[in-house]
Amino acid sequence: KTDFGAVGNGVANDYTSVQAAIDAAAFGGKAVYFPAGTYLVGTGLVLKPYVKLYSHGDAQIKWNGGAGTVISSSTSTTLNEAGIIGIDIDSVDATKAIDLYSPYQCQFRNILIDSNSATQVVVDIHTNTSGGTNPNSNRNAVFNLFDSVLQNGTCGTLLRLEGAGPIGGPATSVVTLNTFVHMNASGCHVRGIDFVQWADSNTFVGM
């Protein structure tokens, strides 16, 4: 399949691209379902608040956009209660596989990420310095779950955590109280976990 998806709470309404399905879900069903198959994506996908992507079978997003980011979120708001469940990602030579700004209560579970770049960041978590806030009235990256997110092949850094604010303080937002369970890499060339700044009180199990 080329760029294609289906959206709805149990209702399969077809769209011309994965991004179109995500955008539609942001206004309606809040879920994008991927039947088994390979979904070719050449332009970075942007996750929306309250939208989760689910696999209904063996579904894979395959990147063919060269240097760039496969999946990201807006840099001007928080990403509340979004996620990806059960969809594999072939990120090939992308700069980043998943790049998130101020995620809040998001879930990323059962994802196999293939890559063949010695510099790629597989999961990058930042916090915004402006724009909308989460229900806690801040822009912290907080209360997120990453469970069985596995990297296969070659990458640079598996997980990067970066809160906002100058080195030495004060922090304007932090990456905190997140849970990382069974998150592993087969070939890191730079770092396994990169604590850039303002990241604390996170839980790591079975890394």
XYZ file of all heavy atoms in Angstrom, residues 62-133:
526
model
N 6.753 2.385 6.634
C 8.070 2.325 5.991
C 8.449 3.701 5.469
O 7.742 4.284 4.658
C 8.085 1.308 4.846
C 9.457 1.147 4.208
C 9.460 0.034 3.185
C 10.827 -0.125 2.529
N 11.883 -0.447 3.510
N 9.570 4.216 5.945
C 10.034 5.550 5.595
C 10.833 5.514 4.295
O 11.729 4.676 4.128
C 10.911 6.074 6.722
C 11.551 7.408 6.495
C 12.877 7.664 6.288
C 10.906 8.685 6.492
N 13.098 9.012 6.149
C 11.898 9.668 6.270
C 9.584 9.095 6.652
C 11.608 11.019 6.210
C 9.300 10.449 6.579
C 10.295 11.397 6.375
N 10.539 6.431 3.387
C 11.346 6.570 2.169
C 11.630 8.042 1.889
O 11.730 8.462 0.746
C 10.678 5.886 0.976
C 9.331 6.481 0.615
O 8.833 7.376 1.292
N 8.731 5.994 -0.464
N 11.778 8.813 2.987
C 11.997 10.242 2.854
C 13.424 10.712 3.061
O 13.677 11.918 3.143
N 14.391 9.772 3.174
C 15.785 10.174 3.367
C 16.011 10.808 4.724
O 15.379 10.455 5.722
N 16.935 11.782 4.791
C 17.202 12.482 6.048
C 15.952 13.246 6.469
O 15.336 13.952 5.678
C 18.376 13.432 5.886
N 15.548 13.089 7.713
C 14.333 13.728 8.202
C 13.792 12.940 9.373
O 14.430 12.006 9.857
N 12.606 13.315 9.846
C 11.981 12.679 10.995
C 10.738 11.932 10.547
O 9.877 12.495 9.870
C 11.608 13.731 12.051
O 12.805 14.390 12.489
C 10.941 13.081 13.254
N 10.623 10.674 10.949
C 9.500 9.851 10.506
C 8.206 10.300 11.188
O 7.211 10.580 10.534
C 9.761 8.362 10.787
C 8.582 7.509 10.301
C 11.058 7.906 10.121
N 8.216 10.368 12.528
C 7.016 10.727 13.291
C 7.394 11.772 14.325
O 8.344 11.591 15.095
C 6.409 9.496 13.983
C 5.982 8.457 12.938
C 5.230 9.886 14.858
C 5.548 7.135 13.522
N 6.640 12.866 14.381
C 6.926 13.938 15.328
C 5.623 14.485 15.891
O 4.539 14.011 15.565
C 7.723 15.059 14.649
O 6.945 15.676 13.632
N 5.749 15.498 16.731
C 4.576 16.226 17.206
C 4.862 17.719 17.095
O 5.998 18.129 16.848
C 4.242 15.840 18.651
O 5.241 16.288 19.550
N 3.839 18.517 17.285
C 3.974 19.963 17.147
C 4.943 20.526 18.175
O 4.967 20.091 19.330
C 2.608 20.633 17.308
O 2.744 22.037 17.369
N 5.717 21.511 17.771
C 6.635 22.190 18.685
C 5.963 23.349 19.415
O 6.605 24.017 20.223
C 7.854 22.729 17.919
O 7.399 23.674 16.938
C 8.598 21.604 17.216
N 4.672 23.562 19.166
C 4.007 24.737 19.743
C 2.844 24.374 20.661
O 2.075 25.253 21.036
C 3.522 25.663 18.632
O 2.590 25.002 17.798
N 2.720 23.086 21.020
C 1.675 22.699 21.965
C 2.096 21.416 22.647
O 3.125 20.826 22.313
C 0.322 22.522 21.257
O -0.701 22.346 22.235
C 0.335 21.313 20.337
N 1.315 20.952 23.606
C 1.602 19.681 24.256
C 0.901 18.549 23.506
O -0.130 18.757 22.868
C 1.157 19.696 25.726
O -0.250 19.969 25.793
C 1.909 20.767 26.507
N 1.465 17.361 23.609
C 0.888 16.186 22.942
C 0.185 15.352 24.002
O 0.763 14.469 24.614
C 1.981 15.374 22.252
C 1.500 14.153 21.461
C 0.679 14.591 20.246
C 2.678 13.290 21.039
N -1.090 15.627 24.223
C -1.841 14.975 25.293
C -2.439 13.649 24.828
O -3.128 13.589 23.813
C -2.974 15.878 25.790
C -2.469 17.197 26.331
O -1.309 17.326 26.704
N -3.337 18.188 26.380
N -2.183 12.596 25.580
C -2.866 11.299 25.450
C -2.870 10.755 24.027
O -3.873 10.204 23.565
C -4.282 11.400 26.001
C -4.321 11.777 27.471
C -5.730 11.835 28.034
O -6.532 10.961 27.688
O -6.012 12.767 28.804
N -1.760 10.882 23.344
C -1.607 10.301 22.011
C -0.803 9.005 22.125
O -0.446 8.576 23.222
C -0.922 11.297 21.084
N -0.526 8.374 20.979
C 0.305 7.192 21.065
C 0.334 6.358 19.805
O -0.374 6.620 18.833
N 1.195 5.331 19.857
C 1.330 4.349 18.794
C 1.366 2.985 19.464
O 2.202 2.746 20.353
C 2.603 4.559 17.963
C 2.622 5.962 17.334
C 2.735 3.491 16.884
C 3.928 6.304 16.652
N 0.493 2.081 19.053
C 0.409 0.755 19.658
C 0.483 -0.309 18.577
O -0.384 -0.393 17.705
C -0.893 0.586 20.488
C -0.890 1.498 21.716
C -1.041 -0.857 20.944
C -1.517 2.828 21.516
N 1.546 -1.107 18.614
C 1.645 -2.296 17.787
C 2.038 -2.082 16.343
O 2.009 -3.025 15.555
N 2.428 -0.867 15.959
C 2.817 -0.598 14.577
C 4.337 -0.525 14.497
O 4.962 0.269 15.205
C 2.201 0.720 14.071
C 0.679 0.661 14.146
C 2.656 1.018 12.640
C 0.001 1.967 13.834
N 4.939 -1.343 13.662
C 6.388 -1.308 13.483
C 6.768 -0.152 12.557
O 5.962 0.304 11.748
C 6.883 -2.632 12.907
C 6.686 -3.788 13.877
O 6.596 -3.535 15.100
O 6.625 -4.940 13.415
N 8.017 0.308 12.691
C 8.498 1.434 11.898
C 9.826 1.056 11.263
O 10.780 0.710 11.960
C 8.689 2.696 12.775
C 7.369 3.095 13.438
C 9.241 3.848 11.943
C 7.532 4.156 14.508
N 9.887 1.085 9.935
C 11.156 0.913 9.226
C 11.659 2.309 8.909
O 11.261 2.916 7.918
C 10.944 0.090 7.953
C 12.268 -0.204 7.247
O 13.308 0.316 7.688
O 12.252 -0.947 6.248
N 12.535 2.816 9.795
C 12.973 4.213 9.668
C 14.200 4.368 8.779
O 14.641 5.494 8.515
C 13.258 4.802 11.048
O 14.258 4.051 11.720
N 14.790 3.283 8.329
C 15.895 3.259 7.372
C 16.986 4.248 7.791
O 17.580 4.103 8.844
C 15.387 3.544 5.922
C 16.430 3.117 4.897
C 14.086 2.803 5.654
N 17.231 5.283 6.996
C 18.317 6.225 7.241
C 17.820 7.578 7.748
O 18.516 8.586 7.636
C 19.114 6.439 5.956
C 18.240 6.902 4.789
O 17.004 6.921 4.947
O 18.795 7.238 3.728
N 16.625 7.616 8.330
C 16.081 8.884 8.833
C 16.972 9.460 9.936
O 17.691 8.731 10.629
C 14.670 8.663 9.369
N 16.884 10.761 10.117
C 17.620 11.419 11.202
C 17.047 11.020 12.554
O 17.783 10.779 13.516
C 17.538 12.947 11.028
O 17.994 13.296 9.724
C 18.390 13.655 12.073
N 15.705 10.956 12.643
C 15.018 10.532 13.855
C 13.834 9.656 13.472
O 13.195 9.879 12.446
C 14.522 11.732 14.671
C 15.628 12.636 15.194
C 15.054 13.793 16.001
C 16.157 14.724 16.481
N 15.625 15.853 17.290
N 13.534 8.683 14.331
C 12.344 7.862 14.108
C 11.125 8.494 14.768
O 10.107 8.712 14.129
C 12.576 6.450 14.623
N 11.217 8.792 16.082
C 10.107 9.394 16.825
C 10.634 10.606 17.579
O 11.561 10.486 18.379
C 9.483 8.383 17.805
C 8.931 7.169 17.047
C 8.387 9.043 18.638
C 8.400 6.072 17.950
N 10.045 11.768 17.343
C 10.504 13.031 17.915
C 9.310 13.724 18.569
O 8.411 14.195 17.875
C 11.095 13.905 16.804
C 11.855 15.102 17.331
O 12.287 15.071 18.500
O 12.036 16.072 16.562
N 9.278 13.772 19.909
C 8.094 14.230 20.637
C 8.382 15.496 21.433
O 9.419 15.607 22.095
C 7.621 13.132 21.592
C 7.356 11.763 20.962
C 7.063 10.746 22.042
C 6.228 11.842 19.946
N 7.414 16.418 21.406
C 7.513 17.660 22.167
C 6.415 17.705 23.230
O 5.236 17.660 22.914
C 7.404 18.870 21.236
C 8.660 19.106 20.437
C 8.892 18.396 19.258
C 9.634 20.001 20.863
C 10.054 18.596 18.533
C 10.798 20.208 20.134
C 11.004 19.500 18.976
O 12.154 19.696 18.254
N 6.819 17.762 24.490
C 5.911 17.865 25.640
C 4.787 16.834 25.592
O 3.608 17.181 25.720
C 5.335 19.286 25.739
O 6.352 20.211 26.038
N 5.125 15.546 25.427
C 4.072 14.529 25.501
C 3.548 14.404 26.930
O 4.296 14.544 27.898
C 4.783 13.253 25.057
C 6.220 13.482 25.425
C 6.451 14.955 25.205
N 2.250 14.132 27.053
C 1.578 14.018 28.352
C 0.645 12.815 28.322
O -0.262 12.746 27.496
C 0.792 15.297 28.641
C -0.077 15.255 29.877
C 0.456 15.553 31.134
C -1.425 14.914 29.790
C -0.349 15.518 32.276
C -2.225 14.880 30.923
C -1.685 15.172 32.155
O -2.488 15.129 33.284
N 0.888 11.844 29.187
C 0.075 10.630 29.284
C -0.077 9.932 27.931
O -1.164 9.466 27.574
C -1.305 10.934 29.875
C -1.271 11.205 31.368
C -2.646 11.193 32.006
O -3.656 11.472 31.371
N -2.693 10.876 33.290
N 1.011 9.841 27.198
C 1.011 9.131 25.924
C 1.463 7.686 26.114
O 2.118 7.355 27.107
C 1.932 9.829 24.929
S 1.374 11.472 24.423
N 1.122 6.834 25.152
C 1.522 5.433 25.200
C 2.175 5.033 23.874
O 1.604 5.249 22.806
C 0.317 4.521 25.435
C -0.353 4.703 26.776
C -1.484 3.707 26.965
O -1.408 2.567 26.505
N -2.544 4.148 27.618
N 3.364 4.449 23.989
C 4.066 3.897 22.836
C 4.430 2.470 23.209
O 5.298 2.239 24.047
C 5.300 4.738 22.502
C 4.957 6.122 22.042
C 4.718 7.131 22.969
C 4.846 6.417 20.695
C 4.367 8.414 22.553
C 4.500 7.690 20.275
C 4.256 8.692 21.208
N 3.722 1.496 22.611
C 3.853 0.104 23.044
C 3.995 -0.846 21.860
O 3.402 -0.647 20.812
C 2.621 -0.313 23.865
C 2.475 0.418 25.186
C 1.362 -0.152 26.052
N 0.047 0.273 25.623
C -0.879 -0.518 25.099
N -0.626 -1.793 24.910
N -2.053 -0.039 24.754
N 4.821 -1.869 22.085
C 4.972 -2.968 21.125
C 5.341 -2.461 19.733
O 4.642 -2.707 18.749
C 3.682 -3.796 21.064
C 3.322 -4.396 22.408
O 4.199 -4.741 23.199
N 2.029 -4.498 22.692
N 6.467 -1.743 19.676
C 6.939 -1.154 18.425
C 8.350 -1.655 18.144
O 9.233 -1.555 19.002
C 6.951 0.387 18.504
C 5.559 0.924 18.862
C 7.428 0.987 17.190
C 5.556 2.406 19.202
N 8.568 -2.195 16.959
C 9.906 -2.562 16.504
C 10.348 -1.523 15.486
O 9.666 -1.311 14.476
C 9.914 -3.953 15.873
C 11.254 -4.400 15.276
C 12.314 -4.527 16.364
C 11.102 -5.710 14.512
N 11.476 -0.868 15.757
C 11.968 0.194 14.887
C 13.262 -0.281 14.222
O 14.271 -0.495 14.882
C 12.213 1.497 15.671
C 10.907 1.968 16.316
C 12.790 2.576 14.755
C 11.052 3.164 17.219
N 13.210 -0.471 12.911
C 14.396 -0.843 12.139
C 15.091 0.418 11.652
O 14.443 1.368 11.198
C 13.999 -1.696 10.925
C 13.577 -3.088 11.328
O 14.362 -3.790 11.982
O 12.444 -3.482 10.984
N 16.414 0.420 11.734
C 17.174 1.566 11.217
C 18.554 1.089 10.779
O 19.036 0.047 11.221
C 17.292 2.665 12.277
O 17.951 2.183 13.438
N 19.190 1.880 9.923
C 20.549 1.540 9.487
C 21.424 2.780 9.427
O 22.239 2.940 8.532
C 20.530 0.813 8.136
C 19.931 1.648 7.010
O 19.607 2.817 7.206
N 19.789 1.058 5.835
N 21.247 3.673 10.407
C 22.035 4.903 10.500
C 22.807 4.904 11.807
O 22.236 4.693 12.875
C 21.124 6.129 10.443
O 21.825 7.289 10.835
N 24.093 5.165 11.743
C 24.929 5.189 12.945
C 24.778 6.486 13.725
O 25.419 6.656 14.772
C 26.399 4.992 12.568
N 23.941 7.403 13.243
C 23.727 8.671 13.949
C 22.263 8.904 14.315
O 21.949 9.867 15.013
C 24.208 9.859 13.098
O 23.507 9.868 11.848
C 25.713 9.762 12.842
N 21.364 8.060 13.870
C 19.937 8.285 14.116
C 19.595 8.277 15.604
O 20.099 7.461 16.369
C 19.087 7.217 13.423
C 17.589 7.404 13.639
C 16.758 6.286 13.028
O 16.182 5.489 13.735
N 16.703 6.239 11.700
N 18.712 9.207 16.020
C 18.098 9.173 17.348
C 16.761 8.458 17.187
O 15.900 8.899 16.433
C 17.886 10.589 17.911
C 17.217 10.519 19.282
C 19.221 11.318 18.011
N 16.576 7.349 17.902
C 15.375 6.545 17.720
C 14.171 7.216 18.375
O 13.145 7.415 17.747
C 15.596 5.125 18.270
C 14.323 4.291 18.122
C 16.757 4.446 17.544
N 14.281 7.574 19.659
C 13.207 8.276 20.363
C 13.801 9.521 21.014
O 14.715 9.419 21.843
C 12.538 7.394 21.432
C 11.479 8.197 22.201
C 11.910 6.157 20.797
N 13.295 10.685 20.645
C 13.778 11.965 21.171
C 12.616 12.663 21.870
O 11.560 12.874 21.257
C 14.299 12.837 20.024
C 15.314 13.871 20.477
O 15.517 14.005 21.700
O 15.909 14.535 19.606
N 12.787 12.984 23.143
C 11.720 13.616 23.926
C 12.202 14.985 24.397
O 13.189 15.092 25.121
C 11.320 12.754 25.133
C 10.873 11.367 24.665
C 10.213 13.428 25.932
C 10.578 10.403 25.792
N 11.500 16.032 23.973
C 11.816 17.408 24.347
C 10.636 18.006 25.112
O 9.564 17.391 25.205
C 12.025 18.301 23.114
C 12.800 17.701 22.013
N 14.142 17.936 21.836
C 12.435 16.878 20.992
C 14.571 17.290 20.768
N 13.549 16.637 20.246
N 10.823 19.237 25.580
C 9.694 20.005 26.104
C 9.658 21.359 25.404
O 10.690 21.930 25.064
C 9.801 20.225 27.624
O 11.022 20.914 27.930
C 9.785 18.892 28.361
N 8.444 21.844 25.163
C 8.268 23.142 24.513
C 8.552 24.278 25.484
O 8.431 24.131 26.701
C 6.838 23.278 23.987
C 6.576 22.352 22.823
O 7.470 22.088 22.030
N 5.364 21.848 22.730
N 8.904 25.414 24.936
C 9.131 26.610 25.752
C 8.001 27.619 25.610
O 7.974 28.617 26.320
C 10.457 27.281 25.361
O 10.440 27.591 23.963
C 11.632 26.350 25.633
N 7.082 27.373 24.695
C 5.935 28.265 24.517
C 4.788 27.456 23.935
O 4.936 26.284 23.613
C 6.297 29.432 23.585
O 6.652 28.943 22.299
N 3.645 28.090 23.801
C 2.487 27.408 23.246
C 1.592 26.839 24.334
O 1.676 27.221 25.506
N 0.728 25.912 23.951
C -0.254 25.356 24.876
C 0.357 24.560 26.012
O 1.506 24.121 25.948
N -0.418 24.357 27.059
C 0.020 23.581 28.209
C -0.866 22.349 28.375
O -1.955 22.264 27.816
C -0.027 24.418 29.503
O -1.372 24.870 29.718
C 0.911 25.612 29.409
